[in-house]
Short mmCIF file of all heavy atoms in Angstrom, two decimals:
data_model
loop_
_atom_site.label_atom_id
_atom_site.label_comp_id
_atom_site.label_asym_id
_atom_site.label_seq_id
_atom_site.Cartn_x
_atom_site.Cartn_y
_atom_site.Cartn_z
N VAL D 268 7.76 -37.24 -89.17
CA VAL D 268 8.45 -36.54 -88.11
C VAL D 268 9.47 -35.60 -88.74
O VAL D 268 9.77 -34.54 -88.21
CB VAL D 268 9.15 -37.56 -87.18
CG1 VAL D 268 10.30 -36.91 -86.46
CG2 VAL D 268 8.17 -38.14 -86.20
N GLU D 269 9.95 -36.01 -89.89
CA GLU D 269 10.99 -35.26 -90.56
C GLU D 269 10.63 -33.80 -90.79
O GLU D 269 11.34 -32.88 -90.40
CB GLU D 269 11.34 -35.91 -91.91
CG GLU D 269 12.16 -37.16 -91.77
CD GLU D 269 13.28 -37.17 -92.81
OE1 GLU D 269 13.62 -36.11 -93.36
OE2 GLU D 269 13.81 -38.27 -93.06
N SER D 304 19.27 -32.15 -80.03
CA SER D 304 20.71 -32.28 -79.80
C SER D 304 21.47 -31.69 -80.97
O SER D 304 20.96 -31.53 -82.08
CB SER D 304 21.07 -33.74 -79.67
OG SER D 304 20.98 -34.35 -80.92
N THR D 307 21.40 -33.85 -84.01
CA THR D 307 20.15 -33.90 -84.77
C THR D 307 20.12 -32.82 -85.84
O THR D 307 19.63 -33.04 -86.95
CB THR D 307 18.95 -33.75 -83.83
OG1 THR D 307 18.99 -34.82 -82.88
CG2 THR D 307 17.66 -33.81 -84.60
N TYR D 310 21.79 -34.06 -88.58
CA TYR D 310 21.10 -35.18 -89.22
C TYR D 310 20.19 -34.63 -90.30
O TYR D 310 19.98 -35.25 -91.33
CB TYR D 310 20.31 -35.97 -88.19
CG TYR D 310 19.57 -37.14 -88.75
CD1 TYR D 310 20.25 -38.30 -89.11
CD2 TYR D 310 18.21 -37.08 -88.97
CE1 TYR D 310 19.57 -39.39 -89.65
CE2 TYR D 310 17.52 -38.16 -89.50
CZ TYR D 310 18.21 -39.30 -89.84
OH TYR D 310 17.54 -40.36 -90.38
N TYR D 311 19.66 -33.45 -90.07
CA TYR D 311 18.73 -32.86 -91.03
C TYR D 311 19.40 -31.93 -92.03
O TYR D 311 18.89 -31.72 -93.13
CB TYR D 311 17.62 -32.12 -90.29
CG TYR D 311 16.61 -33.07 -89.72
CD1 TYR D 311 16.72 -33.52 -88.40
CD2 TYR D 311 15.60 -33.57 -90.51
CE1 TYR D 311 15.80 -34.42 -87.89
CE2 TYR D 311 14.67 -34.47 -90.01
CZ TYR D 311 14.79 -34.89 -88.69
OH TYR D 311 13.89 -35.80 -88.20
P DT E 84 16.32 -52.98 -93.94
OP1 DT E 84 16.06 -52.74 -95.37
OP2 DT E 84 17.66 -53.34 -93.46
"O5'" DT E 84 15.82 -51.72 -93.14
"C5'" DT E 84 14.45 -51.33 -93.29
"C4'" DT E 84 14.13 -50.20 -92.36
"O4'" DT E 84 14.20 -50.65 -90.99
"C3'" DT E 84 15.10 -49.03 -92.45
"O3'" DT E 84 14.40 -47.95 -93.02
"C2'" DT E 84 15.54 -48.76 -91.01
"C1'" DT E 84 14.52 -49.53 -90.19
N1 DT E 84 14.99 -50.08 -88.89
C2 DT E 84 14.40 -49.64 -87.75
O2 DT E 84 13.53 -48.79 -87.74
N3 DT E 84 14.87 -50.21 -86.59
C4 DT E 84 15.86 -51.18 -86.49
O4 DT E 84 16.19 -51.63 -85.40
C5 DT E 84 16.45 -51.60 -87.73
C7 DT E 84 17.53 -52.64 -87.73
C6 DT E 84 15.99 -51.03 -88.86
P DG E 85 15.11 -46.94 -94.00
OP1 DG E 85 14.22 -46.65 -95.15
OP2 DG E 85 16.49 -47.38 -94.24
"O5'" DG E 85 15.14 -45.67 -93.05
"C5'" DG E 85 13.96 -45.30 -92.33
"C4'" DG E 85 14.38 -44.44 -91.16
"O4'" DG E 85 14.81 -45.29 -90.06
"C3'" DG E 85 15.57 -43.53 -91.45
"O3'" DG E 85 15.47 -42.37 -90.63
"C2'" DG E 85 16.74 -44.34 -90.93
"C1'" DG E 85 16.10 -44.88 -89.67
N9 DG E 85 16.80 -46.00 -89.07
C8 DG E 85 17.71 -46.85 -89.65
N7 DG E 85 18.17 -47.75 -88.83
C5 DG E 85 17.52 -47.48 -87.64
C6 DG E 85 17.62 -48.14 -86.39
O6 DG E 85 18.31 -49.10 -86.08
N1 DG E 85 16.77 -47.54 -85.44
C2 DG E 85 15.95 -46.45 -85.69
N2 DG E 85 15.23 -46.01 -84.67
N3 DG E 85 15.87 -45.85 -86.85
C4 DG E 85 16.67 -46.41 -87.78
P DA E 86 14.87 -41.06 -91.24
OP1 DA E 86 13.66 -41.35 -92.01
OP2 DA E 86 15.99 -40.34 -91.85
"O5'" DA E 86 14.44 -40.29 -89.90
"C5'" DA E 86 13.31 -40.74 -89.17
"C4'" DA E 86 13.56 -40.60 -87.68
"O4'" DA E 86 14.44 -41.65 -87.21
"C3'" DA E 86 14.21 -39.28 -87.26
"O3'" DA E 86 13.57 -38.86 -86.07
"C2'" DA E 86 15.67 -39.67 -87.00
"C1'" DA E 86 15.54 -41.09 -86.50
N9 DA E 86 16.68 -41.98 -86.77
C8 DA E 86 17.31 -42.18 -87.96
N7 DA E 86 18.28 -43.07 -87.91
C5 DA E 86 18.29 -43.49 -86.59
C6 DA E 86 19.08 -44.42 -85.89
N6 DA E 86 20.06 -45.13 -86.46
N1 DA E 86 18.83 -44.59 -84.58
C2 DA E 86 17.85 -43.88 -84.02
N3 DA E 86 17.03 -42.98 -84.57
C4 DA E 86 17.31 -42.82 -85.88
P DA E 87 13.83 -37.39 -85.55
OP1 DA E 87 12.62 -36.96 -84.83
OP2 DA E 87 14.39 -36.57 -86.64
"O5'" DA E 87 14.98 -37.64 -84.47
"C5'" DA E 87 14.65 -38.41 -83.32
"C4'" DA E 87 15.89 -38.69 -82.53
"O4'" DA E 87 16.72 -39.62 -83.24
"C3'" DA E 87 16.78 -37.47 -82.25
"O3'" DA E 87 16.69 -37.19 -80.86
"C2'" DA E 87 18.19 -37.91 -82.65
"C1'" DA E 87 18.06 -39.42 -82.84
N9 DA E 87 18.91 -39.97 -83.90
C8 DA E 87 18.95 -39.61 -85.22
N7 DA E 87 19.80 -40.31 -85.94
C5 DA E 87 20.38 -41.18 -85.02
C6 DA E 87 21.37 -42.18 -85.15
N6 DA E 87 21.98 -42.48 -86.30
N1 DA E 87 21.71 -42.87 -84.04
C2 DA E 87 21.09 -42.57 -82.88
N3 DA E 87 20.15 -41.65 -82.64
C4 DA E 87 19.84 -40.99 -83.76
P DT E 88 17.42 -35.98 -80.25
OP1 DT E 88 16.64 -35.56 -79.07
OP2 DT E 88 17.78 -35.01 -81.29
"O5'" DT E 88 18.74 -36.67 -79.71
"C5'" DT E 88 18.59 -37.85 -78.91
"C4'" DT E 88 19.94 -38.49 -78.69
"O4'" DT E 88 20.45 -39.03 -79.93
"C3'" DT E 88 21.01 -37.52 -78.19
"O3'" DT E 88 21.42 -37.96 -76.91
"C2'" DT E 88 22.14 -37.60 -79.23
"C1'" DT E 88 21.85 -38.93 -79.90
N1 DT E 88 22.32 -39.04 -81.30
C2 DT E 88 23.22 -40.02 -81.63
O2 DT E 88 23.68 -40.79 -80.81
N3 DT E 88 23.57 -40.07 -82.96
C4 DT E 88 23.11 -39.25 -83.98
O4 DT E 88 23.49 -39.41 -85.13
C5 DT E 88 22.18 -38.25 -83.57
C7 DT E 88 21.63 -37.31 -84.59
C6 DT E 88 21.83 -38.18 -82.27
P DG E 89 21.72 -36.91 -75.81
OP1 DG E 89 21.11 -37.38 -74.55
OP2 DG E 89 21.47 -35.55 -76.32
"O5'" DG E 89 23.29 -37.13 -75.71
"C5'" DG E 89 23.81 -38.44 -75.58
"C4'" DG E 89 25.28 -38.43 -75.92
"O4'" DG E 89 25.42 -38.47 -77.37
"C3'" DG E 89 26.02 -37.15 -75.49
"O3'" DG E 89 27.36 -37.51 -75.18
"C2'" DG E 89 26.01 -36.30 -76.74
"C1'" DG E 89 26.23 -37.38 -77.77
N9 DG E 89 25.85 -37.02 -79.13
C8 DG E 89 25.03 -36.00 -79.54
N7 DG E 89 24.88 -35.93 -80.83
C5 DG E 89 25.64 -36.98 -81.31
C6 DG E 89 25.88 -37.41 -82.63
O6 DG E 89 25.43 -36.94 -83.68
N1 DG E 89 26.71 -38.51 -82.68
C2 DG E 89 27.27 -39.12 -81.57
N2 DG E 89 28.05 -40.17 -81.80
N3 DG E 89 27.06 -38.73 -80.34
C4 DG E 89 26.24 -37.65 -80.27
#
Side-chain angles (χ1 to χ4, degrees):
Chain D
V268 156
E269 285 223 19
S304 72
T307 300
Y310 180 75
Y311 284 94

